[in-house]
Amino acid sequence: MEKILKIRKKFNVICLVMLFTMFAGSFIQTAAAGEIPTERLLPRLVDSADVLSDSEEASLLAKLDEVSERHNLDVAIHTMSGESYSSLMQYADDFFDYNGFGTETAGGIMLVMDYSERDWWITTYALGIDVLTDKGREYMADVFVPYLSDGKNYEGFMKYAELCDEYAREYKETGEAYSSSNLPEWKKSENLVTRLIIAAVFAVVVAFIAVAVMTSQLKTVRAVFNADKYVEASSFYLDEVKDSYLYRTVSKTKREKESGSSTHGSSSGRSHGGGGGSF
């Protein structure tokens, strides 16, 4: 009986040693390959500032996952408040790099929102740098940032996800990123267009009413289509016609060139693009 117990103890020790060796080997290989352990991976939506309801989080995360997997491009959002950092750019790059987002083949685009400072930053990596240029980011911000400024967080984030989807689709189909020359109309500020239309219609109506009121007071004036009543018959005779060329004016406008994406290095050694602002 004692021999059986000793054999079992030795067997258990051997099994533990083998398991430890396998685990250590796997950890060393993972570290050597520069991969992030599974326990450090985060979802594509990290609402640390808690600005979304549970149902909004679930819906938005599903949208981000669907867009990311369809384009093989991590499209993510991180909200936070009260975090300390030297610059939001560095914070966004590090959060992206050290939490399992993006690979060399599947890059990424991440929106980071700081609700304590009311600042935002979009960091891009690998394919994300090509998909979202500096010009494209500016047009994107014109669309989704106004929603965030008005406190419509869910709507603004969904607009951001939809825009990333459209940008990635365009790049996949044409090999070119959106630029100032080929941005579709729907990407411009919807609120601005609506306000301009309303203002134009209102101005036309007011002008029409004002002119109608003024012309109704001119009782003795009747519309005429020529000036025969004011010209004495046979008093004007044109015997010579000549056109004289005096000068020519030529105006030139320099065509704006696309600047592409500006990049910088992060603390992990990766190259990132991106930019941001306030909301």
Coordinates of all heavy atoms in Angstrom, one line a residue, residues 1-16:
M1 N 0.8 -1.2 0.0 CA 0.0 0.0 0.0 C 0.9 1.3 0.0 O 0.6 2.2 -0.7 CB -0.9 0.0 1.2 CG -2.0 1.1 1.2 SD -3.2 0.9 -0.1 CE -4.2 2.3 0.2
E2 N 1.9 1.2 0.8 CA 2.8 2.4 0.9 C 3.5 2.6 -0.5 O 3.7 3.7 -0.9 CB 3.9 2.2 2.0 CG 3.3 2.2 3.4 CD 4.4 2.1 4.4 OE1 5.5 1.9 4.0 OE2 4.0 2.1 5.6
K3 N 3.9 1.5 -1.1 CA 4.5 1.6 -2.5 C 3.6 2.3 -3.5 O 4.0 3.1 -4.3 CB 4.9 0.2 -3.0 CG 6.1 -0.4 -2.2 CD 6.6 -1.7 -2.9 CE 7.8 -2.2 -2.2 NZ 8.2 -3.5 -2.8
I4 N 2.3 1.9 -3.4 CA 1.3 2.5 -4.3 C 1.2 4.0 -4.1 O 1.1 4.8 -5.0 CB 0.0 1.8 -4.1 CG1 0.1 0.3 -4.6 CG2 -1.1 2.5 -5.0 CD1 -1.2 -0.5 -4.3
L5 N 1.2 4.4 -2.8 CA 1.1 5.8 -2.5 C 2.3 6.6 -2.9 O 2.2 7.7 -3.4 CB 0.9 6.0 -0.9 CG -0.4 5.5 -0.4 CD1 -0.4 5.6 1.2 CD2 -1.6 6.3 -0.9
K6 N 3.5 6.0 -2.8 CA 4.7 6.7 -3.2 C 4.7 6.8 -4.7 O 5.1 7.8 -5.3 CB 5.9 5.8 -2.8 CG 6.2 5.9 -1.3 CD 7.4 5.1 -0.9 CE 7.7 5.2 0.6 NZ 8.9 4.4 1.0
I7 N 4.3 5.8 -5.4 CA 4.2 5.8 -6.9 C 3.2 6.9 -7.4 O 3.5 7.7 -8.3 CB 3.8 4.4 -7.5 CG1 4.9 3.4 -7.2 CG2 3.5 4.6 -9.0 CD1 4.5 2.0 -7.6
R8 N 2.1 7.0 -6.7 CA 1.1 8.0 -7.0 C 1.7 9.4 -6.8 O 1.5 10.3 -7.6 CB -0.1 7.9 -6.2 CG -1.0 6.7 -6.6 CD -2.3 6.6 -5.8 NE -3.2 5.6 -6.3 CZ -4.3 5.2 -5.7 NH1 -4.7 5.9 -4.6 NH2 -5.1 4.3 -6.2
K9 N 2.4 9.6 -5.7 CA 3.0 10.9 -5.4 C 4.0 11.3 -6.4 O 4.1 12.4 -6.9 CB 3.7 10.9 -4.0 CG 2.7 10.9 -2.8 CD 3.4 10.9 -1.5 CE 2.4 11.0 -0.3 NZ 3.1 11.0 1.0
K10 N 4.9 10.3 -6.8 CA 5.9 10.6 -7.8 C 5.2 10.9 -9.2 O 5.6 11.8 -9.9 CB 6.8 9.4 -8.0 CG 7.7 9.2 -6.8 CD 8.6 8.0 -7.1 CE 9.6 7.8 -5.9 NZ 10.5 6.6 -6.2
F11 N 4.1 10.2 -9.5 CA 3.4 10.4 -10.7 C 2.8 11.8 -10.7 O 2.9 12.5 -11.7 CB 2.3 9.4 -10.9 CG 1.5 9.6 -12.1 CD1 2.0 9.2 -13.4 CD2 0.2 10.1 -12.0 CE1 1.2 9.4 -14.5 CE2 -0.6 10.3 -13.2 CZ 0.0 9.9 -14.4
N12 N 2.2 12.3 -9.6 CA 1.6 13.6 -9.5 C 2.7 14.7 -9.7 O 2.5 15.7 -10.3 CB 0.9 13.8 -8.2 CG -0.3 12.9 -8.1 OD1 -0.9 12.6 -9.1 ND2 -0.7 12.6 -6.8
V13 N 3.9 14.5 -9.0 CA 4.9 15.4 -9.2 C 5.4 15.5 -10.6 O 5.7 16.6 -11.1 CB 6.1 15.0 -8.2 CG1 7.3 15.9 -8.5 CG2 5.7 15.1 -6.8
I14 N 5.6 14.4 -11.2 CA 6.0 14.4 -12.7 C 5.0 15.1 -13.5 O 5.4 15.9 -14.4 CB 6.2 12.9 -13.1 CG1 7.4 12.3 -12.4 CG2 6.4 12.9 -14.7 CD1 7.5 10.8 -12.7
C15 N 3.7 14.9 -13.3 CA 2.7 15.6 -14.1 C 2.7 17.1 -13.8 O 2.6 17.9 -14.8 CB 1.3 15.0 -13.7 SG 1.0 13.4 -14.2
L16 N 2.9 17.5 -12.6 CA 3.0 18.9 -12.3 C 4.2 19.6 -13.0 O 4.1 20.7 -13.5 CB 3.1 19.2 -10.8 CG 1.8 18.9 -10.0 CD1 2.0 19.0 -8.5 CD2 0.7 19.9 -10.4

